Amino acid sequence: MTLINWTALATLAALGLYLVMGVRVAGARRKYKIDAPATTGDPMFERHFRVQMNTLEWLPVFLAALWLCAFYWGDRIAAIAGAVWVVGRFFYMIGYVSDPRARRIGFLIQWLAVMFLMAGAAWGAIRAIMVTG
């Protein structure tokens, strides 16, 4: 059995960051007095909410690409790209909350990480098909 411990840690880091975002949304709900199920109100609350929702939109793409890349290219390569994605999402979160225009660098970092993971997964699958028929 091939162990993929680093990829597992990258996955847990991504999920941990997502949980932190959820806590930040809950705190913003209290601070800005936005009762559930409302998702609009104070612009600062909306920034926290959009960070969490945008990250949720990216998680399926990221996680599938991460694990496929790990399968074809190995644990450490995928985990490094996964860590880059987490760092990018962290900068995205900090930037977006401070000023929505400041989210660009974080978005670019995470986008490049996902593109790397997807390209690695696609190339690995194509290469495996060519070798095994």
Side-chain angles (χ1 to χ4, degrees):
M1 178 171 141
T2 302
L3 294 179
I4 42 180
N5 298 326
W6 292 106
T7 302
L9 288 175
T11 300
L12 289 170
L15 297 176
L17 181 60
Y18 184 70
L19 288 175
V20 166
M21 291 173 182
V23 169
R24 289 170 57 106
V25 169
R29 276 194 185 282
R30 282 190 301 278
K31 182 175 182 178
Y32 301 108
K33 299 177 180 27
I34 309 293
D35 293 328
T39 58
T40 60
D42 189 281
M44 288 304 292
F45 164 75
E46 291 175 10
R47 291 178 188 185
H48 286 283
F49 183 75
R50 277 309 309 148
V51 164
Q52 184 193 26
M53 289 299 101
N54 187 267
T55 302
L56 179 61
E57 293 162 4
W58 275 92
L59 270 172
V61 176
F62 164 69
L63 291 173
L66 174 71
W67 284 91
L68 288 168
C69 187
F71 178 77
Y72 289 114
W73 292 102
D75 184 35
R76 290 183 191 242
I77 291 171
I80 290 168
V84 170
W85 187 86
V86 171
V87 168
R89 289 314 296 185
F90 176 80
F91 284 129
Y92 178 88
M93 175 182 70
I94 298 303
Y96 200 121
V97 170
S98 68
D99 177 1
R101 292 172 296 200
R103 73 187 189 277
R104 291 183 183 127
I105 188 70
F107 183 86
L108 179 62
I109 292 168
Q110 68 92 42
W111 183 83
L112 290 170
V114 164
M115 292 302 108
F116 174 84
L117 290 166
M118 288 181 65
W123 179 245
I126 292 166
R127 190 178 69 171
I129 289 168
M130 292 172 63
V131 168
T132 61

